Every structure is written in C-alpha cells, then in structure tokens.
Amino acid sequence: MEYDVIIVGAGLAGLACARAVHRRKKSFILLEAEEQPGGRVRTDREQGFLLDRGFQVLQTAYPEAQKTLDYQRLDLRSYPSGIVIRANDRFHTIADPRRHPSQLLATATSPIGSVRDRYLVLKLAIAVRGVTLPDIFQEEEQPTIDFLEQWGFSHQFIQQFFQPFFAGACLDPEIRASSRVLKYIMRMFAAGDVAVPAKGMGQIAAQLAAELPQENIRYVSRVTSITNGSVTLQYGTTLHARMIVLATPLPMVKELLKTVSEPAEPAPQARSPLGETCLYFNAGEWRPPSKIPFLILNGEGQGPVNNLAFPSLIAPDYAPNNETLVAVVSLRNETSPELENQIREQLASWFGTEVNHWQLLRTMHIPYGLPNQEPPTANPYQLPLSYDTRIRICGEYRSLPSIQWALLSGRKTGEIICDEL
Ligand SMILES: Cc1cc2nc3c(=O)[nH]c(=O)nc-3n(C[C@H](O)[C@H](O)[C@H](O)COP(=O)(O)OP(=O)(O)OC[C@H]3O[C@@H](n4cnc5c(N)ncnc54)[C@H](O)[C@@H]3O)c2cc1C
C-alpha cells in the first residue's frame, strides 16, 4: 500500500503535521520511535509526582498554540508574573505591579538593575510590542549579548538578569542566540502567561494525538533510512508514500537525509546541541520563603543552579498530598553525584539546611535540548515550499526550536504537502 504521507516523529511538529494532513483527508501514517507521543514535551509520573522532561512551560501568547490547542481542556495553571533573582545573598522580587500590587515596594526598591537598566527594559518592551512577530524575524540580527551591550545595559544587569534568563529560555548562558529570539521571547512574556497544563506538559501532545485515529500512529517504530518515496524501520519493514515528512530533531534529520542517495536539500549550518540537567526534588511540606511561587533565577554568577521553580505550587497535581515539587535546572551537562551535592550546597545557602532533607526524585540529563540559535537564524515564517524530491522537513531544522515553531512548521508543512499532492 502507498500512503499519501508518512510522517517520521510524533513530537509537536509531527503531530501538528499529521493533524493538518488528517483534516485534509489524506491517508497517512505517523511513525514514532518511542512508546508515546510528544518527543521533548512529555511528562513522566513518579511516586505520584508529575515530572516534565526537563523544566518547561507553555507561553500562552504563542499564536500557533492559541490556534491549535484547547487551553480550557488543558486546564492551564500560570506562574505568577514576575521573577525572583538571587543575588548578593538575598532574594529580589521583580513583579508586574498590576498583577501583584503587594510586590510593588519590593519591586521598586530592588537593587537589580540601575534606573537606566529599568528604563531600557521598558523601552525595549515598548519597541518589541510595536512590531509584529513576522516582522521581528525580518529584522537585522546579531548575538543577543552584542545587542544588549549596544543598547547600553549594564554589565551587572546582564549578568544578574539576562544571563540566567536566557540560559533558562534558550539553554544559552553565553547569550549568543539571535537578537530576534530575544525580541520574540520578550514579546511572548509581555503578551501572555507562563503556564503548564494542570496534569503536566505531556497533556499538550496527548491532546493533539487524541485528535488522530489511533491506528494511524505507530509507536516503537524507529525509522533507520529513507528514500525518495519510502522509509525503512529498524526491524526491516519498508513503507511507501507519495510524500515523506521528517519531523525529528535536527541531528536525526541530518542522519536520515544521509541515507537518501540524493539529498533532499542542503544541510543548514552546523548547530551545536545545547542541553541541561534537571533535578526534581520532593521537598515535603517545606514551602519557599516567598508566599508567591515566582520562578527563581540565579543571579549570583556562580554555582551549578541556573533557575528553579515549584510546579506543584501553581499546579497541585504535580505533587501528591500537599507536598512540594522543586524543579532545579543546571546547565552543567552531567549527572554526577557531585552535581547533586553541589546543587544541595548552593540551595542550602539560599533556603537553609532543610534542603538536605529534600528527596531526590529524578535527575534528568538532556544532552540535546535545543540547537543553538546563533545568527544567522532561519525565518520560521518562511518554509521552503517545494523541491524536486518527495521529502519534506518540519520542526527546528529550517526553523527555530520552541513549542510555537514546532506547531507552526508542522501545520504549514502538512498544508503545503496536501496542496502539492
Ligand atoms: C528541557 C527542554 C525545555 C524546553 N522548554 C521549552 C519551553 O519552556 N517552551 C518552549 O516553547 N519550548 C521549550 N523547549 C523546546 C521545545 O520543547 C521543542 O522545540 C519542541 O518540542 C520540538 O518539537 P519537535 O516535534 O520539533 O521535536 P521533538 O519533540 O524532538 O520530536 C521529535 C520526535 O521524533 C522522534 N524520532 C526521532 N528519531 C526518530 C526516528 N528515527 N524514527 C521515528 N521517530 C523518531 C522522537 O522520539 C520524538 O518523539 C524545551 C526543550 C527542552 C528539551
């Protein structure tokens, strides 16, 4: 049998592509190497806790997520609007005073950033609000660190705020990602909430997968090679289709393209993988000092912790019995026991020796989280439309990483190939 479309990879890009193809009534099969859909957006259950595959959030302002997902059924729970920065041996709150008036004084008197830095943040936020998202990706780009220095942000503010913020959002502590990415992220933060589904980020993928006929998704089906019209699975089965869509992470796209005798298209620039290690702790009945569970950034410029959050304090299903789940992100790409000890040591200096009683639930080492997003970056609104071959690619390969771009590139690819078929 020849399908209209074979989609390789049931992450968000592959699911969005399958959804578009299914809606246009083309025959398709979605092949996924793992036992579940979602790829990087998945949630594991452990001892009654919900552990996302690395700390991650949904920006409710993502236009493609708004279009694609049913937010109400996801039962989104938002983090408070603001952050806490750990610097100079203290916690400093910077919160949106409209939503958290009780934090007005703390925000106004916080020593994070000079008056000029705050003015520049406001100026940048206004500038970014005045441009559409597609226009942002047409603008000149440069590494964000150069952009921030040119704008005149102080070295101290870059180190205390932008560095851990960018490291959390782009796994990029050097702040080398494109200035377009900075503007996009700032716009998303300003325009919506930072949220998680009540029952874990994996619900996003589950919602998309539930829209597809289950017989059209084959799990534990790793594709090992492709041709211009067929794919071969790990155990030797070959499937045929008029169009093949690769919706795998960038390194796997490159690997699979090597198996085609004639490459479908030239490879994009080499992009180094950026990873993280996320440690999940059960802190029992312990609660953070701030009554409002803000995300915390490490502005100390040292130590293994980059950022941490308390998912169960905004979405109680993340932990059983009123216990507290702590998600700690380190950009040290390792899982050694020393890393756990060093993290406990740093957090004990922040919260007290109670941290030594926290139970480690899981250390998730994610060597490939995202590709680096240094300039030159692709414009995620410009998908290549047509080639001579029957192979198409969606996901971050010719776009950018993020839930927004995975959903957009998947849908657009699905729609375009249905027009082509
Ligand atoms: C730790 C972490 C935190 C993140 N935080 C955020 C965040 O807060 N907000 C945000 O917007 N984005 C975040 N991202 C990025 C976002 O999750 C990804 O950009 C997006 O999910 C990528 O989706 P995708 O479908 O392109 O790829 P993937 O999710 O990687 O899906 C690809 C799928 O292909 C499958 N596959 C691979 N090889 C094969 C093969 N040979 N045969 C068959 N199947 C195969 C994989 O198993 C996988 O299911 C984060 C990513 C990570 C890792």
Side-chain angles (χ1 to χ4, degrees):
M1 138 160 211
E2 187 184 51
Y3 295 98
D4 287 326
V5 189
I6 292 176
I7 302 154
V8 184
L12 298 188
L15 288 165
C17 180
R19 186 172 179 264
V21 170
H22 180 55
R23 287 185 164 198
R24 278 158 190 74
K25 304 200 175 357
K26 301 289 180 196
S27 65
F28 76 95
I29 190 94
L30 175 56
L31 301 171
E32 168 54 48
E34 302 290 328
E35 291 164 357
Q36 287 172 30
R40 276 168 270 181
V41 182
R42 285 175 58 180
T43 304
D44 297 336
R45 187 172 275 280
E46 184 142 335
Q47 298 176 42
F49 291 85
L50 298 177
L51 310 183
D52 294 329
R53 293 274 178 110
F55 175 69
Q56 48 186 284
V57 290
L58 173 72
Q59 308 265 16
T60 59
Y62 286 155
E64 193 65 16
Q66 290 178 346
K67 197 186 263 188
T68 313
L69 303 172
D70 182 340
Y71 280 2
Q72 211 163 2
R73 274 201 301 127
L74 286 176
D75 194 5
L76 294 178
R77 306 301 170 103
S78 298
Y79 279 93
S81 303
I83 41 159
V84 163
I85 297 178
R86 177 75 186 186
N88 311 323
D89 298 327
R90 286 189 49 213
F91 291 111
H92 307 281
T93 306
I94 303 180
D96 180 345
R98 289 165 307 174
R99 299 210 212 168
H100 303 289
S102 65
Q103 301 300 307
L104 181 62
L105 188 64
T107 303
T109 56
S110 146
I112 303 292
S114 62
V115 174
R116 181 171 164 74
D117 286 318
R118 286 161 183 239
Y119 159 73
L120 288 173
V121 169
L122 200 65
K123 190 174 159 194
L124 184 55
I126 291 168
V128 165
R129 216 179 320 154
V131 193
T132 66
L133 264 196
D135 283 348
I136 286 179
F137 290 95
Q138 308 262 22
E139 287 187 356
E140 299 260 307
E141 61 176 339
Q142 61 188 132
T144 288
I145 182 70
D146 298 349
F147 174 85
L148 295 172
E149 284 171 355
Q150 266 177 25
W151 263 63
F153 285 103
S154 71
H155 175 73
Q156 194 190 40
F157 189 60
I158 292 176
Q159 185 251 307
Q160 289 183 331
F161 171 69
F162 279 111
Q163 201 261 343
F165 173 73
F166 225 63
C170 299
L171 310 183
D172 176 13
E174 314 276 314
I175 331 185
R176 304 271 328 151
S178 167
S179 47
R180 292 175 181 171
V181 174
L182 170 78
K183 292 175 191 172
Y184 154 68
I185 292 174
M186 284 195 66
R187 209 187 141 96
M188 293 298 97
F189 267 92
D193 285 345
V194 172
V196 292
K199 294 198 185 303
M201 289 292 286
Q203 289 303 307
I204 295 174
Q207 186 176 92
L208 291 173
E211 269 194 54
L212 304 172
Q214 292 313 291
E215 62 277 16
N216 291 38
I217 314 181
R218 276 201 212 164
Y219 296 108
V220 201
S221 298
R222 179 174 294 278
V223 171
T224 50
S225 68
I226 57 172
T227 70
N228 195 3
S230 74
V231 306
T232 300
L233 303 179
Q234 194 172 15
Y235 299 111
T237 313
T238 296
L239 301 169
H240 300 270
R242 295 166 68 197
M243 207 62 97
I244 312 289
V245 178
L246 300 183
T248 63
L250 192 151
M252 180 52 70
V253 170
K254 285 186 175 176
E255 218 174 298
L256 289 173
L257 283 181
K258 276 192 221 148
T259 70
V260 199
S261 48
E262 286 171 42
E265 55 172 320
Q269 80 173 123
R271 295 214 166 266
S272 52
L274 302 175
E276 68 164 56
T277 304
C278 179
L279 283 81
Y280 283 110
F281 292 96
N282 170 11
E285 291 180 1
W286 177 89
R287 297 289 182 270
S290 166
K291 292 231 161 35
I292 309 174
F294 290 106
L295 297 169
I296 300 179
L297 297 177
N298 176 13
E300 291 180 330
Q302 57 186 10
V305 174
N306 185 72
N307 55 292
L308 69 101
F310 310 100
S312 60
L313 298 187
I314 61 145
D317 286 346
Y318 268 74
N321 308 327
N322 214 18
E323 290 176 307
T324 303
L325 176 66
V326 188
V328 184
V329 174
S330 174
L331 295 198
R332 299 233 184 120
N333 232 331
E334 54 175 290
T335 49
S336 65
E338 290 91 78
L339 178 64
E340 181 197 336
N341 293 338
Q342 288 166 6
I343 283 176
R344 281 190 194 272
E345 211 174 294
Q346 187 169 24
L347 294 184
S349 75
W350 295 8
F351 301 122
T353 50
E354 177 70 17
V355 168
N356 297 323
H357 301 293
W358 292 2
Q359 177 205 358
L360 178 68
L361 293 164
R362 177 96 74 91
T363 301
M364 284 188 192
H365 179 219
I366 302 167
Y368 183 84
L370 313 170
N372 85 60
Q373 300 177 72
E374 278 182 43
T377 50
N379 179 344
Y381 287 98
Q382 278 174 1
L383 277 181
L385 290 185
S386 165
Y387 315 109
D388 292 341
T389 67
R390 296 200 271 168
I391 298 166
R392 301 287 179 270
I393 299 164
C394 62
E396 66 210 5
Y397 182 79
R398 285 213 176 276
S399 179
L400 290 167
S402 121
I403 292 172
Q404 155 69 16
W405 305 127
L407 292 173
L408 179 74
S409 72
R411 172 179 65 80
K412 279 195 152 187
T413 304
E415 288 173 357
I416 289 167
I417 58 178
C418 288
D419 289 345
E420 287 175 330
L421 280 169

